[in-house]
Every structure is written in C-alpha cells, then in structure tokens.
Amino acid sequence: LPTIELEIPDQQASPAESHDQPPASPRSEDVAIKQQRIAEFLEDEGYEAVLLSRQDSFAWFTAGGDSGAGTASDMGQVSLFVTRDQRCVLATNAESGRTFEEEVAGLGFQLKECRWDEPRDRLFEDICRGRKVASDTGVCGTVNELDKLRRLRINLTELERQRYRELGRAVSHAVEAACRNARPGETEHELAGELSHRLIRHGIAPVTMYVAGEERAGQFRLAPHKAQPIRRRVTISVVARRHGLCASTTRSVCFGQSDKEFFDRHHICSMIDATYIFFSQPGEQASEVVRRAKRIYEKAGFTHEWVLAPQGGVTGYSPIEVMLVPASQLRFRPGMALAWSPSLGAARCGDTVLLHENGFEILTPTQQWPSVIISVKGYEVERPGVLILDV
C-alpha cells in the first residue's frame, strides 16, 4: 500500500482515530464484492462453503490472481475455500509462498497448506468434512455447481470493465500489427509466433489462436495454425487473457486484391455481426437475437451456414462463459461482455463487446485498420473491413 502522511491536529486525537485503516485497494474492494456474491449464493442454494479449483475461478475471486498452471490446464495449482465471511487458500508448500507474495497479498486470505509430496485431496477432505460444499469441479464429494458459479461472474465489476478496456485495445493492436507485417510465403506458424510475441510482451497470454490462409479458412471454421505457407489471404482469430479476463477479436488481410466472392461474403458476415451486436440489448433474450441474425443468413442465401460453427457467447474469465444458441433463455444485462463470431465460408467477423444500459461498447476496436459502416434500424455499427496489402 502507498505511504499515507497524516496531519495531526492541535487538539488531542482519540486513540481510535490514530488507528484508522488505510483506504482499501481496488483489488480488495473487488474481492469483497465477490465474497458477497458467494455469500448470497450460499444462502440461496443452501450450502455452507464453496471450493474453487479452476484457474478461471481463482482469477475471478482474487480479482486477477494467477493460480500458476499456465494455459495447459483448466485446473489451477492452488484452490480457494470460501464461506460467507472467510476465504482461505489451499496450497502445497511449493506454491503457497509465491501465491501469497504475488497473487493475494493484502486481500485477507488465510492459508491451509500441505507438503508438495502429499495428495492435495487430503486438504480438500479435511476442510470440507462435515460441511455441505459446492465446487466448480465436484471433487471429493462436493457438488459440482460450475454453471451456477459462472453466472455469478458474468456481470462485470467496475475494475473488471476498466481492465477489459485496456486488454481489448492491446489485443486488437497486437492482432492488427501482426496482420500488417504478414507477408506471402511465411507459414501460419510463423505469423502465430509473431502475434504471440506481441501479446506476451504486454503480459497477455494467448488462449486460442486460429491463423488460417485462404485454403484452410474456407475448409475449416476453427483452424489452428499449421506449417502451411500463406499465399493470397490470411485470417486471424484470437482469444487472449490478462488478469484472468478473455478478449477475442478477428481480422482478415489480403495480399493484393482478393476474389470478389470473399469480399461479398465478408460484407454479409459484417452485417450478421452488426445485427448480433445491435440487438444484444439489456432485457433482450439471447434466443431472439440469434433468430434475427439467422434471418440475415437466410436473406443472403446461406440458410444453414450458422450451423457450421458456434455463433458466440457471454465471455469473461472463460472464453465462453455461456454459449448462446437458438434455445438460449438468457436475458442480457448491463455489465455483460459478449463475443459474437459469425462466419460465412472463409469470411469471419467478431469482436468483444460490453453491454451498457443504453448501448454497447466495442472493447477490441479497430485502430489502424479499414472499417465498414453497417446500418441496423437506422443506427450505424462500425465493423472491421479487410486490410489489403500491396506486395
């Protein structure tokens, strides 16, 4: 915490006033909000505690902490045990020091520790014994309530919204810079490596990265990068994480003029994306928004294209917190982040969007990039165009 200089008044100060606590940090205030949400969940669902073992759960509850398992696993190296009024870190002696020094310092956590060569399940069994406990995994006889726990985190706090803005701008900048520096003949692997470097140097971890030249983009909707050379065109779709939050964006670049069919499909894809974004308003049911977008697919003569790949979802501490499908009963609320991702043949479109009371905010805006304006019900929605590079 920063040093605070106190001015001592001339009159005698009371002992209580001389021991005032310094103001809470934004992170500690955020953790207090999460504790209150957990307390309400416990009351509503009849549990005594929650055991959180997933990396995304740890990041959410600790306001951006890293539980140390990298991107190779959903499970963290450290778990949390949370009651109505207490929070405890469950860790081995190999992880506890780093966790308290770098991830949860000053946030009011207790510690329950075991040796690194002892089964972590014993920690869980000891602390859960005799209690009705919900969890995000169902481990050790706890009740797996992952879906309900995810619903606690989809309404973003003020700290999370500000972090999302900073993350979104950094991700779109990195993707667009990588695209501007792409050249025919380099492989998808090489372009993905350059993008990864641009992200990691800003403390952003790539989560998923689809880099596909014209052949593979047309053949596969979700195409991870391969050793194949890029020739006339490449599309990058990336999900990247910082402070636990996930931002996604998609950009396409052509080397010289591409075929008219691709540009026509990209424009239709932009219309579908703009439709998704515009109608994702507070109080609107997700199924109705999907229905409107499906109607654009149909009018353009591509009735069944939406079936070939996911259309998007509520995002946050997981790339998809809630998948949005035609039967979705979810109603949108202010403070939700959405990642719509329509596709049409080789064409892709998509950004991360934050919902407000009276509109939306693009969290991954175009920067040095061409854009198109789509009119939806008389409202102009800006969408990324296709960058054309002279080679």
Side-chain angles (χ1 to χ4, degrees):
L1 292 175
T3 301
I4 299 176
E5 296 183 0
L6 299 177
E7 293 186 4
I8 307 300
D10 293 337
Q11 66 269 28
Q12 182 67 38
S14 73
E17 290 173 344
S18 66
H19 292 284
D20 283 348
Q21 293 295 317
S25 70
R27 278 192 72 196
S28 62
E29 291 177 348
D30 199 72
V31 170
I33 293 171
K34 311 300 176 52
Q35 181 105 36
Q36 181 60 33
R37 291 185 186 179
I38 290 290
E40 292 170 359
F41 167 81
L42 296 175
E43 180 69 24
D44 293 343
E45 301 293 332
Y47 291 105
E48 298 173 71
V50 168
L51 178 65
L52 303 174
S53 298
R54 292 173 55 93
Q55 291 201 71
D56 49 8
S57 300
F58 183 94
W60 168 71
F61 191 84
T62 61
D66 184 347
S67 59
T71 59
S73 172
D74 289 333
M75 304 304 296
Q77 298 286 81
V78 179
S79 298
L80 302 174
F81 187 80
V82 185
T83 66
R84 287 173 175 80
D85 53 11
Q86 291 183 315
R87 43 190 179 265
C88 182
V89 169
L90 311 181
T92 70
N93 63 319
E95 287 289 341
S96 59
R98 186 200 69 82
T99 300
F100 270 84
E101 178 71 21
E102 297 184 341
E103 309 301 340
V104 300
L107 299 181
F109 283 87
Q110 299 173 315
L111 172 65
K112 187 172 178 63
E113 182 184 81
C114 70
R115 225 170 60 180
W116 67 267
D117 60 333
E118 296 173 347
R120 281 206 306 163
D121 283 3
R122 290 183 187 174
L123 275 179
F124 303 156
E125 292 166 356
D126 287 347
I127 203 166
C128 293
R129 188 174 291 114
R131 291 168 158 154
K132 185 180 180 183
V133 180
S135 74
D136 57 358
T137 61
V139 69
C140 296
T142 59
V143 182
N144 191 335
E145 295 279 23
L146 177 59
D147 288 343
K148 291 180 181 178
L149 291 169
R150 275 181 165 163
R151 296 298 179 107
L152 300 183
R153 66 196 199 199
I154 60 177
N155 276 46
L156 302 173
T157 65
E158 285 302 319
L159 177 62
E160 290 167 337
R161 296 179 199 191
Q162 183 54 40
R163 284 176 166 176
Y164 238 139
R165 293 182 182 101
E166 296 167 0
L167 170 63
R169 288 192 293 268
V171 170
S172 63
H173 180 272
V175 171
E176 292 175 5
C179 284
R180 286 194 300 272
N181 283 279
R183 293 293 179 268
E186 71 175 325
T187 66
E188 296 168 357
H189 282 331
E190 289 170 330
L191 182 54
E194 179 181 345
L195 176 56
S196 296
H197 171 72
R198 291 178 181 276
L199 293 169
I200 292 171
R201 67 197 295 261
H202 292 291
I204 303 170
V207 178
T208 59
M209 189 177 295
Y210 300 118
V211 179
E214 65 271 22
E215 297 95 347
R216 297 182 64 246
Q219 187 177 5
F220 307 111
R221 297 303 169 105
L222 305 175
H225 49 89
K226 297 292 184 181
Q228 186 162 326
I230 298 165
R231 304 188 191 285
R232 295 179 302 160
R233 185 176 67 241
V234 65
T235 296
I236 294 179
S237 295
V238 64
V239 179
R241 177 185 281 133
R242 186 168 65 188
H243 299 307
L245 294 166
C246 297
S248 61
T249 192
T250 298
R251 300 288 187 269
S252 294
V253 58
C254 291
F255 307 113
Q257 288 290 338
S258 185
D259 55 280
K260 182 177 182 297
E261 180 183 15
F262 174 76
F263 281 99
D264 289 345
R265 291 193 174 196
H266 192 277
H267 186 74
I268 296 169
C269 204
S270 299
M271 293 172 57
I272 296 167
D273 196 27
T275 300
Y276 274 130
I277 292 170
F278 176 80
F279 286 105
S280 299
Q281 300 177 12
E284 189 67 74
Q285 190 164 302
S287 58
E288 177 62 17
V289 179
V290 174
R291 185 193 67 79
R292 290 177 180 274
K294 285 172 59 181
R295 183 65 180 144
I296 305 299
Y297 277 112
E298 293 167 5
K299 286 182 175 180
F302 300 98
T303 302
H304 301 293
E305 283 283 320
W306 69 271
V307 179
L308 301 180
Q311 296 296 291
V314 180
T315 189
Y317 286 88
S318 176
I320 296 294
E321 300 277 23
V322 182
M323 182 75 75
L324 298 177
V325 298
S328 292
Q329 298 302 303
L330 179 103
R331 289 192 180 276
F332 296 123
R333 299 194 299 272
M336 285 183 176
L338 305 179
W340 293 111
S341 55
S343 57
L344 191 62
R348 311 279 187 275
C349 199
D351 276 304
T352 307
V353 180
L354 177 65
L355 302 188
H356 295 293
E357 285 283 358
N358 300 307
F360 60 86
E361 175 184 356
I362 306 294
L363 295 173
T364 49
T366 56
Q367 296 174 51
Q368 298 179 42
W369 199 263
S371 63
V372 296
I373 301 299
I374 307 296
S375 179
V376 184
K377 297 291 185 180
Y379 186 90
E380 293 185 344
V381 182
E382 184 177 356
R383 296 285 68 228
V386 178
L387 178 66
I388 300 174
L389 293 178
D390 293 327
V391 291

